[in-house]
Amino acid sequence: MKKIAIYPGSFDPITNGHIDIIERGLKIFDKIIIGVLKNPEKNYFFSIEERVRIIKEIFKDREEIEVEPFQGLLVDFVKRKKAKVVIRGLRAISDFEYEFQMALMNRKLNPEIETLFMMPSIEYSFLSSRLVKEVFKLGGCIKNLVPAVVEKELKRKIRENST
Ligand code: PNS
């Protein structure tokens, strides 16, 4: 039986911190399904199609990594994928309260599903998708913080938004 975990998030955009967690998760699981949240009530920088496409491009040669959009409750997506574990990254204490609430709510919704928290490498402990976008829009350097394809897509999107 293959050990499968779900790694959910907005990934707007995916960063090297997320990738670090995925690689760490693969030391424990045979397969990781990256669940990309589609929330019509939220204003994303990249559309759901773009976020999924970018992540697929990054992991195109990796059979053990799947990418799928999902809408609605995370626990329903996890069940549909026949998984039992959700991986979430914890960068700092500040992440803890929200993550704790989510994990316990998910447990209430489906007691069969466990949340596994993993710490990224210290060099990514300050990194967030929000900061990446802000720094990039203001002309700062995001080298080593996101894969090259993300930097390229950020450039394209900013050009597209300004025309
Ligand atoms: O990358 P993010 O934005 O921190 O990811 C948050 C995510 C996608 C894990 C969370 O918003 C989620 O699971 N949303 C799906 C809706 C849901 O199940 N809500 C109840 C969770 S307690």
Side-chain angles (χ1 to χ4, degrees), residues 22-40:
I22 294 163
E23 299 297 358
R24 284 174 201 281
L26 283 169
K27 291 183 191 166
I28 305 173
F29 297 94
D30 301 311
K31 185 191 215 174
I32 290 190
I33 302 173
I34 304 172
V36 186
L37 180 67
K38 178 181 179 185
N39 181 352

Side-chain angles (χ1 to χ4, degrees), residues 116-131:
L116 177 70
F117 291 110
M118 301 194 76
M119 268 75 74
S121 166
I122 192 85
E123 61 191 294
Y124 302 127
S125 58
F126 62 93
L127 185 56
S128 71
S129 300
R130 185 181 59 78
L131 275 184

Side-chain angles (χ1 to χ4, degrees), residues 85-149:
V85 180
V86 169
I87 296 179
R88 289 289 287 172
L90 264 191
R91 289 165 299 190
I93 297 284
S94 51
D95 280 341
F96 181 77
E97 193 159 347
Y98 170 60
E99 294 298 335
F100 185 67
Q101 284 177 0
M102 266 205 314
L104 292 186
M105 179 57 85
N106 284 334
R107 181 181 285 165
K108 170 121 187 72
L109 294 169
N110 186 338
E112 305 241 295
I113 297 171
E114 289 297 335
T115 302
L116 177 70
F117 291 110
M118 301 194 76
M119 268 75 74
S121 166
I122 192 85
E123 61 191 294
Y124 302 127
S125 58
F126 62 93
L127 185 56
S128 71
S129 300
R130 185 181 59 78
L131 275 184
V132 161
K133 284 178 285 197
E134 186 174 320
V135 168
F136 191 77
K137 283 180 193 167
L138 296 172
C141 178
I142 56 166
K143 197 169 180 309
N144 298 330
L145 300 182
V146 294
V149 55

Side-chain angles (χ1 to χ4, degrees), residues 61-72:
D61 300 321
R62 304 285 298 272
E63 252 176 45
E64 69 278 38
I65 299 171
E66 271 181 27
V67 189
E68 236 186 79
F70 79 98
Q71 205 170 348

